[in-house]
């Protein structure tokens, strides 16, 4: 099958690298020409545009920024979905809203196109190594058809359930992860303001119930003032917003979700959206006037 991949950002570039390296007939496109050029050097083919790729490829993968961007790309009368043929497959790797999956599934069914949602967990570094986790929502038989492709860049492929279940689980996962980041950043900022020994903070917290995967990944980086956007703050804000909206639609109170979302929104408004998600600490620091850092960061 000829595969098309739209989106060569943090996760997409790793997908493209691994598919091309393992012999997949891959065509790519991105708004950034340098990203496309890199993928071509790694063995992919540059696509003219998304619509032409949709016409030429049997599997079209989308790995971009938001649900709104995916729908703008695919669902307009001149969009990618209209160019696809019945029986083609649309794989949505984007972290989107719960409502988006229902909209896309209905539109694809009407066009005779097979739709599956396949949000991913882990980081761009995992994508580069071909070690992402895929959460698959859709028919299990379709997942098995796509498995040889997925295995070129995924370590684990989980069948979560029907379309809609994968993104819902991904949003729950991301909310818990980013709420954890917001909470330890708040704690770090308070520790710094009160003059605690920052060389002891992570070790002592991680020796008890405060230990977490996100702190293991990003805690020391935060105190070393490394805000490389492995997962950008703006993307964290987007994911928590989708979760909060879904929670409200489900009829559940969302006090914590709204607080976490507004924390990221504030940091983004302060100009930190393009930095890593732990740059949320800078919102607290700008209020206290004290940086939370290890001596090595001086």
């Amino acid at each position: 099958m000829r595969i098309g991949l739209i989106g060569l950002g943090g996760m997409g570039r790793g997908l493209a690298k691994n598919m091309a390296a393992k012999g997949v007939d891959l065509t790519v496109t991105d708004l950034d020409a340098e990203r496309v050029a890199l993928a071509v050097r790694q063995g992919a083919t540059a696509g003219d545009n998304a619509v032409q790729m949709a016409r030429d490829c049997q599997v079209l993968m989308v790995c971009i920024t938001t649900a709104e961007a995916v729908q703008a790309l695919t669902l307009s009368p001149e969009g990618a979905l209209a160019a696809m043929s019945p029986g083609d497959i649309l794989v949505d790797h984007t972290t989107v809203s719960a409502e988006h999956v229902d909209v896309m599934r209905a539109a694809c069914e009407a066009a005779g196109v097979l739709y599956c949602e396949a949000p991913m967990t882990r980081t761009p570094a995992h994508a580069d190594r071909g070690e992402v986790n895929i959460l698959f929502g859709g028919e299990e038989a379709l997942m098995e058809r796509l498995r040889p492709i997925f295995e070129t860049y995924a370590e684990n492929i989980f069948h979560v359930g029907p379309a809609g279940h994968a993104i819902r689980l991904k949003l729950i996962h991301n909310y818990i992860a980013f709420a954890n980041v917001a909470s330890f950043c708040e704690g770090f900022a308070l520790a710094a303001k009160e003059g605690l020994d920052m060389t002891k903070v992570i070790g002592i917290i991680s020796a008890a119930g405060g230990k977490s995967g996100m702190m293991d990944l990003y805690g020391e980086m935060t105190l070393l003032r490394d805000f490389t956007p492995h997962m950008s703050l703006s993307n964290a804000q987007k994911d928590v917003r989708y979760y909060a909206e879904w929670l409200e639609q489900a009829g559940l109170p969302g006090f914590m979700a709204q607080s976490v979302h507004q924390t990221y929104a504030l940091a983004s408004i302060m100009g930190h959206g393009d930095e890593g998600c732990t740059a949320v600490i800078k919102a607290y620091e700008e209020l206290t006037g004290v940086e939370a850092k290890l001596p090595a960061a001086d």
Side-chain angles (χ1 to χ4, degrees):
M1 293 186 290
R2 179 176 295 174
I3 312 301
L5 174 62
I6 301 171
L8 298 171
M11 300 296 279
R13 64 175 175 261
L15 272 55
K17 170 189 170 183
N18 284 284
M19 281 192 280
K22 294 168 185 173
V24 173
D25 184 0
L26 179 67
T27 303
V28 300
T29 191
D30 190 274
L31 294 175
D32 187 329
E34 291 185 5
R35 294 176 181 174
V36 175
L38 173 60
V40 169
R41 291 196 297 273
Q42 293 171 334
T45 299
D48 294 330
N49 55 67
V51 172
Q52 187 62 47
M53 285 170 54
R55 187 172 293 118
D56 293 342
C57 297
Q58 289 75 55
V59 178
L60 185 67
M61 296 180 169
V62 183
C63 187
I64 51 178
T65 52
T66 66
E68 295 81 1
V70 175
Q71 291 186 29
L73 179 76
T74 58
L75 298 187
S76 70
E78 298 81 27
L81 181 58
M84 298 180 75
S85 301
D88 286 350
I89 303 170
L90 177 60
V91 178
D92 198 344
H93 273 315
T94 308
T95 300
V96 292
S97 64
E99 181 182 28
H100 165 87
V101 172
D102 300 329
V103 170
M104 291 298 300
R105 178 178 54 192
C108 286
E109 286 179 356
V113 170
L114 302 174
Y115 174 76
C116 64
E117 45 146 5
M120 297 173 286
T121 59
R122 295 186 170 172
T123 68
H126 290 96
D128 188 68
R129 297 194 298 267
E131 297 174 354
V132 302
N133 292 327
I134 292 176
L135 311 184
F136 187 93
E139 294 294 332
E140 192 164 3
L142 180 56
M143 183 184 76
E144 293 304 322
R145 285 181 60 188
L146 293 168
R147 180 179 291 275
I149 302 168
F150 290 158
E151 287 180 339
T152 65
Y153 55 85
E155 181 175 11
N156 299 298
I157 304 164
F158 300 105
H159 184 248
V160 179
H165 284 203
I167 193 58
R168 285 166 167 83
L169 183 54
K170 171 69 184 290
L171 290 176
I172 291 169
H173 167 275
N174 279 19
Y175 164 68
I176 292 171
F178 293 132
N180 182 253
V181 168
S183 67
F184 74 64
C185 283
E186 179 184 278
F188 288 175
L190 180 60
K193 181 178 185 298
E194 294 296 303
L196 274 66
D197 183 345
M198 299 306 291
T199 65
K200 299 178 180 178
V201 170
I202 294 175
I204 292 174
I205 292 173
S206 293
K211 180 178 175 62
S212 71
M214 292 302 277
M215 189 179 289
D216 288 347
L217 278 172
Y218 296 122
E220 186 174 7
M221 288 174 58
T222 302
L223 296 183
L224 289 172
R225 314 303 294 173
D226 181 350
F227 299 108
T228 304
H230 304 293
M231 168 58 76
S232 72
L233 190 149
S234 60
N235 273 337
Q237 179 191 352
K238 177 259 299 184
D239 292 355
V240 175
R241 172 172 65 85
Y242 287 154
Y243 173 84
E245 291 171 349
W246 170 38
L247 196 68
E248 183 175 344
Q249 291 163 3
L252 294 176
F255 305 109
M256 290 180 61
Q258 290 296 340
S259 295
V260 174
H261 175 238
Q262 290 304 317
T263 299
Y264 282 99
L266 176 62
S268 184
I269 290 168
M270 288 178 166
H272 306 301
D274 291 335
E275 298 179 77
C277 61
T278 61
V280 70
I281 199 171
K282 294 185 177 182
Y284 294 104
E285 292 173 339
E286 290 177 32
L287 294 172
T288 65
V290 178
E291 283 190 347
K293 59 186 179 182
L294 295 171
D298 290 330

